[in-house]
Amino acid sequence: MGPAAPTGFPATVRSIGSDRRFFVEHMEELRQRVKAARGSGPINILALSGGGAGGAYGAGALAGLSRRGERPQFAVVTGVSTGALIAPFAFLGPAWDAQLKDAFASARTEHLLRSRGIAALFRPGVYQGKPLIELVDHYVTDELIQQSARESAKGRMLLVATTDLDKEETVIWDMGAIASHGGEAARTLFRDVLVASASIPGLFPPVLIHVSDSQHSYDEMHVDGGTSVPFFFTWEIAQILNFPAEDLKGANLYVIINGQLGTTPQTTAEKTIPIMKRSFSTELMHAMRTTLELSVEFARLYGMNLQFSRIPPNYPFQGPLNFQPRAMQALFEYAAGCAANGKFWTTPDQVMARIEQPLGPKDCPRE
């Protein structure tokens, strides 16, 4: 019995947890795709983390790098949760910066947290899923699908993670392969994967994706990719693509963490929603710290150049679930300004060197 796949699509559009059969069988093809995309220079890889409203940070950074004229073309872009929503724009390049800004620094996010009220007792998710679906659907246009397919055909890879709750596994989706399928079915699955990746379990309803194998047809329940991985390239993708050390040596790995790795203490109200929000923020922060540590060691092992950025601890970030336009616009412009002024990227060693020198509330990640 072959692996299950979204109805009408080949199994090659995704990898499920420890099931690496497709990637093993197509290893050389995938390596050649990435080699073709990078040309004669080093591989440029971008990993975008989860972080809810913190996605305005990564979105602003990309816009700022465009303004500075120093935005790499990434051979591989990976995204989780809010990072998954940024990923297609990062993949398609500066020509899409206007849509990127509109998505993360406009009034469109204002009503994302629309309470279900008492219906939350009978339906999954404290908040309605419709506002998130409508937001993503607005940007996943036929043009975006067609251009994603075109860039994928050049060998570049756009990868997004969701979490399959039924299997309790990370699922990595090849969004370029989905786009290359074409038609409304491709647009719908592309949108549903992005919505699923951003659907925080308990807060937003899960996304059901209909799949079938040679014998059965059923629905899978997918939620926020950050449930199982806060961002990815390192171990997960290296195992999938099985790059030899010489392929990764000298590669540029850029990691944008759409959140903080440390915060100042604050009192949490003894109410359900504030406790859930604070718990989500805490879990995300600690998962990102651990994954970043693994990424640093991975980069050193393979001779990669790792640069990353995160929302500095003294920036007045109001948490991953504050989708108020004013807060997101401020964060977008802050990141854009830091990137445009060449003060965005840093290295783990630089962060450690400054740990005893607190940043001001508006200082950039690298001064």
Side-chain angles (χ1 to χ4, degrees):
M1 181 176 66
T7 303
F9 289 82
T12 52
V13 298
R14 66 182 191 167
S15 169
I16 303 173
S18 59
D19 181 5
R20 309 299 190 205
R21 283 174 291 182
F22 160 68
F23 292 99
V24 169
E25 292 169 2
H26 295 77
M27 197 78 68
E28 188 57 30
E29 174 190 338
L30 292 168
R31 284 184 57 205
Q32 293 305 320
R33 276 182 63 187
V34 176
K35 281 186 175 182
R38 77 176 183 183
S40 58
I43 300 173
N44 290 321
I45 301 149
L46 174 65
L48 296 156
S49 86
Y57 183 73
L62 290 167
L65 291 170
S66 296
R67 293 177 201 169
R68 188 174 175 80
E70 292 184 357
R71 179 165 159 184
Q73 183 179 72
F74 303 105
V76 181
V77 177
T78 75
V80 175
S81 194
T82 194
L85 304 184
I86 300 170
F89 301 118
F91 184 66
L92 295 179
W96 289 75
D97 282 357
Q99 291 92 323
L100 183 63
K101 182 174 183 179
D102 188 62
F104 285 89
S106 72
R108 292 186 183 279
T109 61
E110 186 172 10
H111 302 294
L112 274 180
L113 301 186
R114 191 179 298 164
S115 175
R116 286 185 182 276
I118 196 170
L121 297 174
F122 310 101
R123 301 278 297 172
V126 171
Y127 301 111
Q128 297 177 29
K130 186 177 179 181
L132 178 59
I133 294 171
E134 290 178 342
L135 177 69
V136 176
D137 190 70
H138 176 78
Y139 294 102
V140 180
T141 60
D142 290 337
E143 183 183 4
L144 184 140
I145 295 297
Q146 291 161 9
Q147 291 205 24
S148 297
R150 190 175 301 122
E151 292 303 312
S152 177
K154 297 176 183 177
R156 300 174 63 217
M157 300 185 75
L158 172 60
L159 306 171
V160 163
T162 64
T163 301
D164 182 341
L165 279 187
D166 299 324
K167 297 182 178 67
E168 297 184 316
E169 292 279 8
T170 303
V171 180
I172 297 175
W173 299 82
D174 185 338
M175 304 301 281
I178 292 173
S180 297
H181 185 275
E184 182 60 21
R187 196 190 75 82
T188 299
L189 181 59
F190 197 104
R191 178 202 66 197
D192 288 350
V193 169
L194 295 183
V195 172
S197 187
S199 293
I200 304 164
L203 295 180
F204 292 100
V207 174
L208 299 180
I209 296 179
H210 196 71
V211 302
S212 55
D213 55 33
S214 57
Q215 297 181 9
H216 305 96
S217 180
Y218 55 94
D219 288 330
E220 290 178 345
M221 182 178 287
H222 288 259
V223 297
D224 190 347
T227 304
S228 52
V229 60
F231 63 88
F232 69 99
F233 172 74
T234 56
W235 309 106
E236 301 87 359
I237 300 303
Q239 289 174 9
I240 288 172
L241 298 182
N242 196 29
F243 280 122
E246 59 268 23
D247 281 5
L248 288 179
K249 188 173 183 179
N252 299 312
L253 174 58
Y254 301 90
V255 177
I256 297 180
I257 295 175
N258 294 301
Q260 294 174 310
L261 299 179
T263 61
T264 54
Q266 58 180 275
T267 300
T268 304
E270 290 189 65
K271 297 180 180 180
T272 300
I273 298 300
I275 290 172
M276 290 181 69
K277 288 181 177 180
R278 192 68 172 169
S279 297
F280 168 66
S281 178
T282 301
E283 179 184 6
L284 182 64
M285 179 176 68
H286 285 274
M288 287 195 292
R289 283 181 189 170
T290 300
T291 305
L292 181 61
E293 290 171 2
L294 291 173
S295 300
V296 170
E297 291 307 312
F298 180 90
R300 286 175 178 163
L301 178 64
Y302 282 89
M304 302 173 73
N305 303 311
L306 185 148
Q307 297 188 75
F308 82 102
S309 192
R310 85 291 187 220
I311 303 175
N314 284 10
Y315 181 87
F317 182 50
Q318 298 173 35
L321 295 176
N322 179 12
F323 292 102
Q324 290 304 307
R326 181 176 297 178
M328 294 191 67
Q329 289 164 7
L331 182 56
F332 181 98
E333 293 301 337
Y334 163 75
C338 290
N341 291 323
K343 298 179 178 181
F344 182 73
W345 297 115
T346 187
T347 67
D349 290 340
Q350 288 170 331
V351 170
M352 293 305 295
R354 298 187 62 201
I355 200 163
E356 301 298 332
Q357 305 171 29
L359 295 169
K362 290 292 185 178
D363 285 344
C364 288
R366 190 185 81 206
E367 288 299 316

